[in-house]
Amino acid sequence: MRQPGRAARLAAAHARDGSTCLWCGRPLDERVVATTDHVIPKVKGGPSWLENEVAACRRCNGERGHRGAVDWLEECERRGWAPDVDRLVRVLDDLSAAIAERGGQRRARPHLDAQLRRLAKRLDRAA
């Protein structure tokens, strides 16, 4: 199955998630340009699938680099930003389901599982 191109995936992420940066909460518009951010970085095996991509501002995408999603989420909170934790949980769950359905992604699975465990532990502490 062929995936849509980058621009189409960014547009789909906008439609799915709304027009705010996942990490800092800034509205994405002509002043704050949206980029495609891989929740599981490509260097850690993350696929270029819509399920692994979110719309993020250029600042957050660039500063995050290859850090794990939970590490960057915690850094955003330390900076006083308003990351969308519920959206992150949904994206990670959707990616896990997509990998289970399509198979493959041998390198991404351990990293994804670790991020889901850390996020679940974090949410348990908050409850």
Side-chain angles (χ1 to χ4, degrees):
M1 181 170 92
R2 186 168 173 88
Q3 289 291 311
R6 173 182 266 173
R9 290 191 315 266
L10 179 58
H14 256 282
R16 177 190 66 201
D17 299 331
S19 59
T20 60
C21 175
L22 168 72
W23 305 112
C24 67
R26 292 192 305 171
L28 301 169
D29 55 24
E30 60 277 346
R31 291 178 298 150
V32 180
V33 179
T35 62
T36 302
D37 187 20
H38 290 78
V39 178
I40 303 299
K42 289 174 72 172
V43 298
K44 295 184 180 179
S48 289
W49 297 349
L50 176 60
E51 294 87 357
N52 188 38
E53 295 178 346
V54 294
C57 69
R58 189 172 287 157
R59 175 189 68 186
C60 288
N61 196 352
E63 288 186 28
R64 176 179 173 217
H66 305 306
R67 285 189 244 186
V70 178
D71 289 335
W72 184 242
L73 176 78
E74 291 169 350
E75 175 63 24
C76 292
E77 290 172 339
R78 275 192 292 277
R79 293 180 181 197
W81 298 344
D84 190 340
V85 179
D86 294 334
R87 187 182 346 166
L88 179 60
V89 169
R90 190 183 77 244
V91 168
L92 290 173
D93 286 341
D94 289 351
L95 177 59
S96 182
I99 289 174
E101 178 185 317
R102 296 177 196 163
Q105 306 307 317
R106 186 184 88 242
R107 286 183 50 223
R109 287 178 190 205
H111 187 71
L112 172 61
D113 292 343
Q115 296 302 299
L116 286 167
R117 280 191 308 272
R118 286 187 62 201
L119 205 49
K121 192 181 295 184
R122 223 176 141 325
L123 294 173
D124 285 344
R125 276 185 278 163

